[in-house]
Amino acid sequence: MLKGIHPLLGPELLHAIRTMGHGDHIVIADANFPSSFLGPKVIRADGVDAVGITEAILAHMPLDTFVPEAAWRMEVVGDPTAVPEVCATFQDLVNRLAGDFTVHSVERFAFYEMAKKAAYIVATTEFRLYGNIILKKGVVHPHEVYRVS
């Protein structure tokens, strides 16, 4: 354990978000997502749901403020205006922890294409359908960095 680090961030995931640069994407994927076959390095988060991992990541990683969109979810196949409960929860987390960002919906196969370009995919055991989100890392400002006194 470390002080000030969300307990769901294991060493591999902590390393991943630390090494990501401004503009890099991270995918938080549900249990049905084809994580292993899209290309990016997969970090397993077995026994943890997508909401918990998203909260842990957003507790330490800012979203990109230099672009119009910095968070995306997979839209419901056959009902693109639907917002599943898990996706509404993602939106609430983003608003609470990252600020005034909209989690935009993206068609399923376009979402897969975005995921192929991500720095990492976090494979969770989120069983709710459409429990997938992509986050674009922003800039950590100097006043947000820990300084040794």
Side-chain angles (χ1 to χ4, degrees):
M1 293 301 296
L2 297 170
K3 294 192 281 182
I5 303 295
H6 195 289
L8 291 182
L9 291 181
E12 193 174 9
L13 184 52
L14 186 58
H15 177 263
I17 63 172
R18 175 63 180 90
T19 60
M20 287 172 59
H22 172 246
D24 285 345
H25 292 178
I26 189 166
V27 179
I28 296 90
D30 68 21
N32 289 299
F33 195 81
S35 300
S36 297
F37 301 101
L38 292 177
K41 179 173 173 52
V42 176
I43 298 169
R44 302 285 321 167
D46 297 315
V48 181
D49 65 21
V51 169
I53 285 294
T54 301
E55 180 175 31
I57 291 169
L58 288 175
H60 300 285
M61 187 188 87
L63 293 184
D64 194 340
T65 59
F66 296 127
V67 294
E69 297 180 6
W72 302 267
R73 65 174 179 85
M74 186 186 295
E75 77 179 20
V76 175
V77 175
D79 191 2
T81 61
V83 181
E85 177 190 349
V86 67
C87 295
T89 304
F90 286 147
Q91 183 64 67
D92 292 342
L93 281 175
V94 165
N95 290 145
R96 181 168 52 87
L97 296 171
D100 188 23
F101 291 90
T102 298
V103 178
H104 297 273
S105 67
V106 176
E107 185 274 331
R108 175 182 168 206
F109 292 106
F111 191 92
Y112 291 154
E113 289 302 313
M114 288 178 71
K116 287 178 183 179
K117 298 173 187 165
Y120 298 95
I121 296 175
V122 182
T124 71
T125 48
E126 174 63 67
F127 294 116
R128 291 175 288 183
L129 299 180
Y130 300 99
N132 305 292
I133 187 169
I134 299 174
L135 304 173
K136 180 187 281 281
K137 186 177 183 181
V139 171
V140 176
H141 296 277
H143 71 276
E144 298 172 305
V145 177
Y146 177 78
R147 297 191 194 285
V148 178
S149 27

